[in-house]
Every structure is written in structure tokens, then in C-alpha cells.
Amino acid sequence: MGSNSSRIGDLPKNEYLKKLSGPESVSENDPFWNQLLSFSFPAPTSSNELKLLEEATISVCRSLVVNNPRTGNLGALIKVFLSRTKELKLSAECQNHIFIWQTHNALFIICCLLKVFICEMSEEELQLHFTYEEKSPGSYSSDSEDLLEELLCCLMQLITDIPLLDITYEISVEAVSTMVVFLSCQLFHKEVLRQSISHKYLMQGRCLPYTSKLVKTLLYNFIRQEKPPPPGAHVLPQQSDGGGLLYGLASGVATGLWTVFTLGGVGSKAAASPELSSPLANQSLLLLLVLANLTDAADAPNPYRQAIMSFKNTQDSSPFPSSIPHTFQINFNSLYTALCEQQTSDQATLLLYTLLHQNSNVRTYMLARTDTENLVLPILEILYHVEERNSHHVYMALIILLILTEDDGFNRSIHEVILKNISWYSERVLTEISLGSLLILVVIRTIQYNMTRTRDKYLHTNCLAALANMSAQFRCLHQYAAQRIISLFSLLSKKHNKVLEQATQSLRGSLSANDVPLPDYAQDLNVIEEVIRMMLEIINSCLTNSLHHNPNLVYALLYKRDLFEQFRTHPSFQDIMQNIDLVITFFSSRLLQAGAELSVERVLEIIKQGAVALPKDRLKKFPELKFKYVEEEQPEEFFIPYVWSLVYNSAVGLYWNPQDIQLFTMDSD
């Protein structure tokens, strides 16, 4: 590298990189470091160019792997970086652009090297590389300070303590990225890592006191969504000599290397990964999710998860419980706003799920908000565009709804929020509809999509659980929502009849065709009957608890009354059909008395009058429908691969070879 600009293709032949990775030791006080760190080159502008950068530097990295046991140059480079970071805060205050730029370049090289080291060796070997010094071949210092721990602590200090200015933005991004790289050993293991050297450093020792401060800073980085400064905004004017360090700064960093940090990783889907407006916010969120999902140590819980579970609102003046470590305060209003605005990304939805599920302070605050639509509408839009989303994103959105619907106050309030002209809902023009009715429409649409496409029982169960939680508080259902509830039941009824017919034919065929394996229609029938039972319970819950509030549902029920005939005497549904049958009979009788040729308006009027006249004690009471989200055992088996797939696809300026990834399968395109 050095002070002259370079092309990516020239990097393997670069004299400074060859010296760093070569057989000759370089003292940490050598002027060579100033030359090495004064580099710039045309930055990658696509995922393919990021791949080229990786391929161009891999030979240099591998050379250092071979020679570092003799030279200790990796340790020397890290010590140079560490010594510079001690003056970084003062340099930011004094606007010392060159010093900050060179310190950033040192960290950039360290990050590139670490990525290859972690990919190509065990953690034990990596730890050993941090101990090698300039001595006889292969010797190392066992009593010296732990350089790996010192580097991690330094990164945490840099993230939390350095003020975020135009001139410090890129080094802040790089510090977060380097911490992600430190933890990336998980990518190269098929199994979830439960004991790891990097985990040990982060969960105890010198790094532990920074836990709450780091989590708080990463959250605020996400909240603030700070955009990178415009190219050249923080660069000194070029000096007349046009060479040396200032040449590298003025000609390269602002227009070249800078944009490395605004690129997405290989394998990103265009639809799922829009252009990032804030690389720092994106990287901070990814690091936060990685830290939150580290497995607990054998003798201590994950402190980062503890911090996420326990932080409070800045307006909460109650004392912190002494039994809860790593807690802090943050502005919940700002956090709520950011979460509402950022739900287009998987990682923001995963953060929302994590906070709702694990932090009771956040959950209580969100449920008390009077503008719930700002949170719920983006979640509904994720579910509505289920075809364009990955299954994990859909699951997270659905579980968020399930958690919200556990609260009766939420279930009541959503029917009081009236929305106008929902532009993204294309099946029908909805000029005016309650948030509750819209939620029902979207969840039913998700169920129908699942029935015809993915056929995922888990998704079915959670959709129906959310509807069941809401059913007792259904209020003033929109006529289209009421129609869709009955239409879904109609679809399930047809499905039931079809499976029943197939089972009957299969049974007849088995009498004449011995030794031929038969499809398990009994299991299919059992599943569909469970779903039908759930739908009947949802309809019954609404009729029992809020009949007079839902004339449109009674209208839809009467219009499709023939659907329910076959289930009146079915042993699986007889009990739950009693109330539905009673309601159909009662209102059918009143309509018959009113005469023929009734208008829709007149029918609804008769239904409203009948709802008042129907004695409540005639409807049999059933236990209240309440479903609570319970995280599966060993949730890390799901969440850790999911989080790292987000890192792989979304990390700014980081590239991993798909062939090296072991944790999950990735396409190489």
C-alpha cells in the first residue's frame, strides 16, 4: 500500500504489504508503519469487487500466517494501532485528520487479516498468533499482556468513547465491523459454538465492564441512523507538494477507500437489502444481535443479553435493582420511532422481537402507546408481502403479532384506530377500516397463502393463535374482514371434504391392493380438523363475547349458513357448534318473520335488534381463548444461524467466500 494510490489488482505485489507479510521482522517503532498506513486505492463498487479485494489480498494474508511465528509482525501492527488509539479522542477534538485516517487504515488492515486468520485456523492457533514476538522462530511471550484481550477492549472503548464526527465516522464503522469479524468463527462451524475463546474474552475479564455502555451505544447508533459524511467533507485541502501522506488523504480516502464501507455483502437479495443509508447503524445492529445471541458461559449468563433484557426508559426514575447487572437507561420514544421506521429489514424486525419478548420494560411501554398503528402497520406489510420475504422474516413478524395480542388492552385498542386508504393492500380498495379488521385480513391472507404454498403447520398455528387471542375483543368488524373469516372456514371445509374422500377411496383400494404403501390421510385429516376446530372456536368466542358489536360477522354467518350443516353432528365439533347453530337458527327465524326481498341495510338492522333481544344465558360459555408465545427449547439453534445469515448478507464492506461457510448453506452468486 503506502502513500501512492493503488489498484486492487496491484495489492499482491505491493512492497509494503510484502514486507508486512514477509520473513523480516518490523519493529513497532519503525517508520515503515507510517508508510504502510498512508494508503488509498479505488474502492470496490460492487459485491464482485469486494470479492476481488478478498482474492487480491488472500496471498498476503496467507504469507503472514506462515511468517508471523518468526516475525511477530501481526502483534507489532496491533501494538501500533493500540498506541494510536490512546490519542484518538484528542485527535478528534483537534480535528487531526491525518492521524485518524492512518489509525483507521491500521484497523482496516487488521480486520482484513483477522478475517482470513479466523477462516483458516482454529481459535487456539489464532490466539497463539497474538503472542508471537520478534525472537527466535516460533517463540512467544507467555507473560506479556494478552494482546487479543487488549485489542477487544480497545475496540469497545473506540465504539463507546470516541465522539461520532465526520472525521471519525469511518473508523467507528470499522471498529464495529472488526468486532463482528472477531466473532465470525461461528460461520466456519456447522454446530452452534457453546464455548469459544472470543466469547470468553467478551463475557469476563477486562471487557465485561464495557457491557452496558457498548449495548447502549449500539442501540443509539441504530436509533440515530447517522448517514456517512459526503465524500470530501472531512478531508484537508491538498498541499502544493502533492505527495506523501496528504496526497494519499486528499486523492484517495474521500473518493476511493471511503466507499468500501457503504457496500453490501455478496449474496444479498436486492429486494431484501435496499441501499443502506447508514452503514454505522446497520453494522451496530448486526453486532448487537450477534452479542445478544451468544450462548451463555458455563458459569455465567450472557451479559449482553442481560443488558438487553433489563434496560429502562430515561423517564423511569425508579432505582435499578441491585440483583440485575449491566442495566442502563435509553430514550424509549426515540427507540420506538426507529423501530417503527426500520421494519423493512430482517435485522430491525429481529431486534423488535427480541425487545418485546425479553425486555418487559419495552413491552409495557409499547403496549401503552396511543399510536400503535405506527408499529403494527409495518409488521402487517411484511406479512402481506409474504411472497417477497424470507420465511424467517415472516416468522418474526408473526410472533411479534402473537406477543402483542397476548394483551387485552392491545386487542381492544386496535379496533378503535381507524385507517384510511391502505395503499399496499391491493385485493380490495379499503377507504376506511379499523386497524383490528386490517390485522385480521392480513393474518387470514397469510393462512391462505400457507395452505396453498408452504403448508407450514408452525405458521398456521401462530396465525390462528393470534386470531384466537383477539377474538373475544373483536369490535365492529369490517364487512370484508367478516367475509374473509367465513371464506377461510369455507376453504377449510372444502379441504376437509377432499381429504376425507381421498381417505375413503384409499381405504377401499387397500382391500384389493395388499403390500402397497398408502398415504397417511388419517394424519392429514387430523391436522385439518384441528384447524377447523380452532376456526370454530374463534367464531364462537366472538359470538359469545361481543355478538352485539359484530353484525357484519352474523350477516356473513347467515349468508354461508349451509357451510356449517355438516359439522353439527360431527363428534369433533358438536360442542363448539352449539352456540353457532343457536345464533344461525335465532337470526334466521327473525329474518323469516321479516319477510322476503330484504335489503342488506334491512338485514343488518334486524341483526342489530336481534343481538339485543337474544338472552346472553342461552349461549354456552367456553374457556377463554388465550395463547402465549413460548420460545422453543435451545432457541440458539434457530437464532444463531439466522443472525449470521443476516450478517453474511448485510454486513457493510465484508465478504466471506460462500464455500468456506459451514453454519448454513449459501449460494455463491
Side-chain angles (χ1 to χ4, degrees), residues 66-277:
V66 172
N67 292 315
N68 187 58
R70 291 188 294 274
T71 65
N73 284 349
L74 175 64
L77 170 62
I78 290 170
K79 288 174 183 176
V80 168
F81 169 72
L82 292 174
S83 67
R84 285 173 169 271
T85 56
K86 293 171 184 173
E87 302 174 43
L88 204 55
K89 195 170 184 179
L90 181 62
S91 298
E93 293 169 359
C94 299
Q95 297 284 303
N96 189 338
H97 299 69
I98 295 176
F99 187 88
I100 293 171
W101 167 59
Q102 288 189 319
T103 308
H104 162 266
N105 284 353
L107 184 55
F108 177 71
I109 295 174
I110 290 169
C111 187
C112 290
L113 293 172
L114 280 176
K115 197 147 63 65
V116 175
F117 274 54
I118 288 169
C119 176
E120 301 211 345
M121 63 183 67
S122 68
E123 281 195 295
E124 290 74 19
E125 290 175 288
L126 175 67
Q127 191 177 31
L128 204 56
H129 270 276
F130 275 77
T131 64
Y132 293 133
E133 294 183 351
E134 183 188 355
K135 290 184 179 179
S136 56
S139 65
Y140 60 92
S141 173
S142 57
D143 58 353
S144 64
E145 256 189 304
D146 192 324
L147 201 57
L148 180 52
E149 183 177 37
E150 191 175 351
L151 178 57
L152 272 171
C153 283
C154 177
L155 292 172
M156 295 173 87
Q157 288 175 318
L158 199 161
I159 293 166
T160 58
D161 294 348
I162 301 302
L164 188 59
L165 309 169
D166 280 0
I167 60 172
T168 60
Y169 189 96
E170 61 190 76
I171 196 170
S172 296
V173 174
E174 195 62 31
V176 176
S177 297
T178 306
M179 283 201 69
V180 172
V181 167
F182 255 119
L183 293 160
S184 66
C185 54
Q186 177 64 79
L187 283 171
F188 311 108
H189 292 80
K190 287 184 179 180
E191 298 78 22
V192 167
L193 290 179
R194 300 184 183 279
Q195 289 186 327
S196 161
I197 291 172
S198 56
H199 295 189
K200 183 190 75 174
Y201 280 121
L202 286 168
M203 292 192 189
Q204 57 192 9
R206 294 171 57 193
C207 292
L208 190 60
Y210 293 100
T211 298
S212 58
K213 199 172 182 181
L214 178 62
V215 172
K216 183 176 182 176
T217 302
L218 295 175
L219 273 173
Y220 268 126
N221 285 347
F222 166 72
I223 289 168
R224 288 168 180 152
Q225 294 288 317
E226 292 281 358
K227 294 179 172 59
H234 60 292
V235 180
L236 288 171
Q238 185 172 341
Q239 300 298 307
S240 56
D241 61 6
L245 303 184
L246 289 178
Y247 170 79
L249 180 63
S251 68
V253 171
T255 59
L257 181 65
W258 220 121
T259 55
V260 162
F261 308 104
T262 62
L263 297 173
V266 152
S268 300
K269 293 181 181 177
S273 301
E275 186 177 344
L276 296 167
S277 60

Side-chain angles (χ1 to χ4, degrees), residues 262-525:
T262 62
L263 297 173
V266 152
S268 300
K269 293 181 181 177
S273 301
E275 186 177 344
L276 296 167
S277 60
S278 177
L280 180 61
N282 181 73
Q283 291 295 80
S284 295
L285 178 52
L286 291 171
L287 176 58
L288 182 64
L289 293 172
V290 169
L291 291 171
N293 286 282
L294 294 177
T295 54
D296 294 335
D299 53 350
N302 177 348
Y304 303 95
R305 189 182 302 122
Q306 285 184 314
I308 285 170
M309 290 172 65
S310 60
F311 70 82
K312 303 193 305 181
N313 195 352
T314 48
Q315 295 183 353
D316 185 347
S317 57
S318 61
F320 291 114
S322 56
S323 59
I324 302 178
H326 313 300
T327 192
F328 59 90
Q329 289 179 294
I330 204 165
N331 187 309
F332 276 18
N333 182 58
S334 301
L335 176 62
Y336 181 82
T337 302
L339 285 166
C340 293
E341 291 174 349
Q342 300 299 320
Q343 286 307 306
T344 51
S345 74
D346 280 70
Q347 47 266 41
T349 305
L350 181 54
L351 176 63
L352 175 57
Y353 157 79
T354 302
L355 296 178
L356 274 174
H357 178 50
Q358 298 185 359
N359 190 313
S360 59
N361 300 320
V362 172
R363 183 168 60 253
T364 301
Y365 175 85
M366 289 186 175
L367 289 168
R369 293 283 301 206
T370 56
D371 58 348
T372 322
E373 67 273 16
N374 291 337
L375 183 68
V376 175
L377 282 172
I379 299 301
L380 295 183
E381 197 168 353
I382 293 168
L383 292 175
Y384 186 79
H385 295 113
V386 59
E387 302 93 338
E388 302 166 16
R389 304 290 181 181
N390 69 69
S391 60
H392 291 344
H393 199 183
V394 172
Y395 283 142
M396 289 298 101
L398 195 51
I399 293 169
I400 286 167
L401 286 186
L402 180 55
I403 293 171
L404 292 173
T405 60
E406 291 170 13
D407 183 77
D408 286 341
F410 171 84
N411 294 332
R412 284 190 296 270
S413 66
I414 55 176
H415 292 287
E416 297 166 3
V417 177
I418 304 302
L419 308 168
K420 295 181 184 296
N421 300 316
I422 309 300
S423 58
W424 46 263
Y425 194 95
S426 58
E427 271 91 344
R428 177 167 172 159
V429 176
L430 300 174
T431 54
E432 188 171 287
I433 189 171
S434 71
L435 179 60
S437 289
L438 181 64
L439 197 159
I440 292 166
L441 284 175
V442 172
V443 171
I444 286 175
R445 184 180 185 273
T446 307
I447 293 172
Q448 291 179 322
Y449 174 83
N450 186 49
M451 285 177 67
T452 56
R453 305 286 181 85
T454 54
R455 300 184 181 183
D456 187 323
K457 185 181 177 182
Y458 180 82
L459 194 144
H460 252 30
T461 303
N462 284 284
C463 283
L464 290 167
L467 289 176
N469 284 347
M470 297 166 58
S471 59
Q473 276 86 30
F474 282 174
R475 294 289 187 276
C476 304
L477 290 185
H478 191 280
Q479 63 180 32
Y480 186 50
Q483 289 169 15
R484 298 310 296 166
I485 290 172
I486 305 304
S487 294
L488 175 58
F489 185 80
S490 174
L491 188 65
L492 292 167
S493 177
K494 290 174 184 175
K495 180 84 171 172
H496 178 266
N497 292 340
K498 182 179 178 182
V499 173
L500 191 60
E501 184 182 347
Q502 289 173 331
T504 304
Q505 290 176 352
S506 174
L507 191 61
R508 287 173 185 160
S510 67
L511 299 175
S512 58
N514 295 328
D515 303 325
V516 178
L518 298 173
D520 192 356
Y521 289 117
Q523 185 177 352
D524 289 348
L525 199 60

